[in-house]
Amino acid sequence: MKLTILGSNAAAPAYGRRPTAQVLNISEQLFLIDCAEGTQMRMQEYGIKRGRINHIFISHMHGDHYFGLIGLLNTMGLLGRQAAINIYGPAQLKEIIGIQISHSLGFELVFNDISEGEEKVILDTNNVQVKCFPVHHSVPTHGFLFKKKERPRVLLPEKLKEFEIPKYFYKQLTDGADYEPENGTWVKNELVTEGGKKQRTYAYTADTAPHECYKEIIKGVDLLYHEATYTKHFSDKAIERLHSTTVEAARIALDAKVGQLIIGHFSSRYKELHEFELEAQAIFPNTELALEGKTFEIKEG
Ligand SMILES: [Zn+2]
């Protein structure tokens, strides 16, 4: 499972950075997450095959997250694509695509409406599950949780007793989750299960101000992308525009005990990004910048 950054800037292109887009590779199936202007050019540059994308996820209706979609769909059509494509996004997006190109596409476009602002499973296949979840931005916005399914781990009854794990948590243990009691010590999955593999997870929280609403779902993920549009010096701007700062993103990663944090969606006011890295790493050391062209590997457990 690996994530490649295609765009990491906020709002508009600046200093060679393009707005948001990422591609997640799960066992050689490609999942496109947001699709800003310039996405298909970046895909060409990085050797990412358009034809291998069957699912596109759009977080919200701000142009820096979907203005590249029409161009990409059009190219797929020109190249003779026949397989259907699944798009997950707000209802308005369907209208926009309909007005611009749906009549000229040579393939079926399956639209999945995620306007409701609730957490739900939106894709469930043999090896991948994707959930959407609401975050807190100036327009309705969703993040996405990707899970690579694995053979379930086997519970060790003696150990479950010894560590006093409640029954309701058994299913999560077979998925590879660690147990964290309200008051008490974190129990690593390996202590109470064996065999199988730990599921791998990636959470993308899109554009958001720090908020309780997504705190639970991102808990313990292997890789978290959290936006950090501003450094701490501009926290007033972050509050005003419902974005986050480096410090906020890093604290969220720390509280959620994630494996690794990537920060991105950098404001165009910054030419250099070094400060972003320093501020976040001071709180959550395993932080990296979502630099374009960079690939983050989520290793098998
Ligand atoms: Zn944005």
Side-chain angles (χ1 to χ4, degrees):
M1 189 165 170
K2 57 188 180 185
L3 179 80
T4 301
I5 307 298
L6 305 175
S8 62
N9 214 51
Y15 305 113
R17 305 189 300 258
R18 300 192 190 186
T20 305
Q22 314 178 341
V23 69
L24 182 66
N25 180 328
I26 304 181
S27 308
E28 300 309 314
Q29 290 175 274
L30 301 185
F31 299 86
L32 183 63
I33 307 163
D34 279 337
C35 185
E37 196 183 341
T39 297
Q40 61 170 332
M41 274 80 93
R42 282 290 196 238
M43 288 170 66
Q44 260 182 335
E45 265 174 63
Y46 303 151
I48 291 163
K49 297 201 168 61
R50 281 171 284 234
R52 294 232 318 267
I53 295 173
N54 294 319
H55 302 275
I56 301 176
F57 303 85
I58 302 294
S59 60
H60 65 297
M61 293 306 289
H62 280 159
D64 58 326
H65 296 256
Y66 79 94
F67 277 179
L69 186 59
I70 305 301
L72 175 64
L73 293 174
N74 189 55
T75 306
M76 285 172 163
L78 292 174
L79 294 175
R81 183 185 177 104
Q82 292 186 337
I85 198 142
N86 295 276
I87 298 183
Y88 307 80
Q92 303 103 302
L93 185 62
K94 190 180 178 189
E95 279 176 52
I96 290 169
I97 297 170
I99 291 165
Q100 296 199 63
I101 51 162
S102 72
H103 300 300
S104 57
L105 284 179
F107 56 91
E108 191 192 353
L109 207 150
V110 183
F111 194 85
N112 302 272
D113 182 359
I114 54 162
S115 311
E116 287 302 312
E118 57 179 8
E119 181 185 317
K120 63 178 178 187
V121 174
I122 51 174
L123 176 65
D124 206 2
T125 69
N126 284 343
N127 66 335
V128 179
Q129 189 196 66
V130 187
K131 276 184 181 174
C132 68
F133 55 92
V135 295
H136 189 61
H137 193 38
S138 54
V139 297
T141 303
H142 286 87
F144 301 104
L145 174 71
F146 295 82
K147 203 181 270 185
K148 183 182 177 214
K149 293 182 188 173
E150 299 289 358
R151 189 160 54 83
R153 289 182 65 85
V154 178
L155 300 172
L156 301 171
E158 303 267 292
K159 295 285 177 190
L160 295 173
K161 255 191 212 161
E162 184 187 328
F163 287 97
E164 297 174 355
I165 314 275
K167 278 212 172 92
Y168 79 87
F169 202 76
Y170 287 3
K171 169 73 181 79
Q172 284 165 70
L173 288 178
T174 60
D175 287 347
D178 296 329
Y179 176 63
E180 185 188 26
E182 280 291 317
N183 303 301
T185 327
W186 180 278
V187 180
K188 294 291 284 177
N189 191 287
E190 295 75 25
L191 295 173
V192 291
T193 67
E194 64 179 8
K197 271 185 177 176
K198 191 180 186 303
Q199 294 198 349
R200 298 283 120 184
T201 45
Y202 169 58
Y204 168 76
T205 57
D207 286 12
T208 188
H211 199 268
E212 289 287 305
C213 61
Y214 59 90
K215 204 177 132 192
E216 277 302 312
I217 196 163
I218 64 166
K219 249 188 189 168
V221 294
D222 297 300
L223 182 66
L224 170 70
Y225 167 95
H226 198 289
E227 71 125 290
T229 307
Y230 300 101
T231 51
K232 61 186 179 189
H233 182 72
F234 288 100
S235 59
D236 54 335
K237 286 265 174 289
I239 292 168
E240 185 190 315
R241 294 174 187 175
L242 291 162
H243 283 300
S244 303
T245 66
T246 47
V247 169
E248 288 164 336
R251 281 196 186 130
I252 287 164
L254 191 67
D255 287 348
K257 297 191 168 75
V258 306
Q260 185 178 12
L261 170 67
I262 311 171
I263 51 171
H265 200 263
F266 310 114
S267 161
S268 303
R269 68 167 60 237
Y270 300 93
K271 185 174 181 192
E272 301 296 334
L273 302 174
H274 194 50
E275 223 178 317
F276 280 83
E277 204 169 16
L278 290 179
E279 288 183 6
Q281 284 177 349
I283 294 165
F284 191 80
N286 196 8
T287 304
E288 283 196 56
L289 302 179
L291 298 178
E292 283 156 45
K294 206 160 182 182
T295 293
F296 299 88
E297 182 110 33
I298 308 166
K299 293 205 175 68
E300 302 295 314

